[in-house]
Amino acid sequence: MRLIIEPDYDKVSEWAANYVAAEINKANPSPEKPFVLGLPTGSSPLGMYKNLIRLNKEGKVSFKNVITFNMDEYCGIPRDHEQSYHTFMWTNFFSHIDIPEQNVNILNGNAPDPEAECRRYEEKIKSVGGIDLFIGGVGTDGHIAFNEPGSSLTSRTRMKTLTKETMIANSRFFDNDVNKVPRYALTVGVGTIMDARSVLLIVNGFNKSRALHHGVEGAVTQQWTITALQMHNKAIIVCDEPACEDLKVGTYRYYKDIETANLDPSKLLS
């Protein structure tokens, strides 16, 4: 696992966007062999999306041959609801880049048969050759996607009941009213994420410091699903200084030291 420590959220967002763009360009995708990207929602990736939009408009990366799969979607709210993840993605990212609409895949939270929808999603991922790069955020309780504490580390796409902690955290998007937050969501599994050829996790803010501590220094456990990334052969966490609050000084210095030898991905785009 690599741990990239940046001074603040803006630098985290720039690094993540540059890395994603560099990975797409390195793959040189084509219609016959597209680059497959797993994407998150929430506040953590917003800065990355803004930077990717800029890079796209500057001609430094194209999404014409990129296929995307979103991590999750709420159940029980309309697709065009202002807080649906379908609306989030088109408002904050897809509408501003050159990705073909047919290349976008988002779970249907209102599918009449949720289990069938989840199976379809897994099969669609396999049909395009699997995910090249899965990007994610993390909850304060260490969950990735909506794989709440206790989720199997080999889990696949399925319906999940959201914890009270997650609902409270997400209530800021629902007029700060936890009763408006959907109780259920469809989500890719930890196993689905781990199947990706590479994973990039964005962790920012003091409130994520406990999750980062467990993810980097803790034992692998289903109680902190972020810890599964310790078993991935190409996992990167990019974080800001406030998120490092709970790391040991030695751990912090170790990762800062070894990353000085690695190339900044922005250099690959110049």
Side-chain angles (χ1 to χ4, degrees):
M1 176 190 290
R2 291 177 63 188
L3 179 65
I4 314 296
I5 302 171
E6 294 290 330
D8 53 37
Y9 176 69
D10 288 342
K11 291 299 183 183
V12 165
S13 300
E14 287 179 22
W15 195 98
N18 290 335
Y19 179 80
V20 172
E23 288 293 292
I24 293 171
N25 291 343
K26 183 170 68 175
N28 192 24
S30 65
E32 296 73 29
K33 191 178 180 182
F35 189 87
V36 185
L37 193 58
L39 295 175
T41 53
S43 56
S44 293
L46 279 173
M48 177 191 70
Y49 288 145
K50 289 177 181 177
N51 279 279
L52 282 172
I53 292 166
R54 173 181 56 79
L55 291 172
N56 179 243
K57 293 187 181 304
E58 291 174 355
K60 293 182 177 178
V61 66
S62 173
F63 294 88
K64 287 181 180 178
N65 294 315
V66 173
I67 294 175
T68 66
F69 287 88
N70 261 79
M71 279 188 154
D72 38 37
E73 177 60 285
Y74 286 122
C75 294
I77 61 174
R79 174 173 155 164
D80 59 355
H81 187 284
E82 63 180 1
Q83 293 303 333
S84 78
Y85 289 159
H86 180 277
T87 297
F88 177 98
M89 290 305 301
W90 282 100
T91 300
N92 293 296
F93 191 42
F94 296 142
S95 294
H96 309 283
I97 59 173
D98 61 344
I99 191 168
E101 185 173 359
Q102 65 269 21
N103 285 12
V104 171
N105 295 276
I106 302 175
L107 282 155
N108 179 6
N110 294 295
D113 187 341
E115 290 186 5
E117 168 66 4
C118 293
R119 288 194 301 270
R120 180 198 67 80
Y121 208 65
E122 289 276 344
E123 290 164 4
K124 181 70 178 293
I125 291 172
K126 290 179 182 177
S127 74
V128 297
I131 291 174
D132 293 300
L133 171 60
F134 222 134
I135 307 166
V138 65
T140 55
D141 58 4
H143 74 259
I144 51 177
F146 274 133
N147 295 287
E148 304 280 25
S151 295
S152 167
L153 300 185
T154 61
S155 56
R156 313 305 304 188
T157 304
R158 68 215 185 284
M159 180 183 282
K160 283 291 292 180
T161 304
L162 306 187
T163 65
K164 195 73 171 179
E165 184 170 347
T166 297
M167 293 176 69
I168 291 171
N170 289 1
S171 66
R172 66 190 188 279
F173 302 117
F174 291 85
D175 303 321
N176 291 310
D177 185 351
V178 71
N179 295 310
K180 293 182 180 180
V181 182
R183 187 70 196 276
Y184 303 98
L186 301 185
T187 180
V188 297
V190 179
T192 313
I193 297 168
M194 292 291 286
D195 279 350
R197 284 176 273 280
S198 58
V199 179
L200 172 65
L201 211 63
I202 299 169
V203 183
N204 63 286
F206 174 78
N207 64 328
K208 304 292 179 70
S209 60
R210 192 164 58 114
L212 183 66
H213 155 66
H214 282 278
V216 175
E217 298 175 327
V220 175
T221 170
Q222 77 276 12
Q223 293 303 318
W224 294 84
T225 53
I226 184 178
T227 62
L229 294 189
Q230 295 177 23
M231 301 184 293
H232 199 284
N233 64 0
K234 192 178 180 183
I236 299 175
I237 297 177
V238 57
C239 68
D240 60 10
E241 292 281 353
C244 296
E245 185 70 19
D246 284 353
L247 292 182
K248 295 176 182 176
V249 173
T251 302
Y252 174 88
R253 289 177 176 170
Y254 169 77
Y255 282 107
K256 288 287 282 188
D257 178 59
I258 62 173
E259 284 301 328
T260 59
N262 288 315
L263 182 67
D264 186 325
S266 65
K267 301 295 190 296
L268 301 173
L269 300 174
S270 56

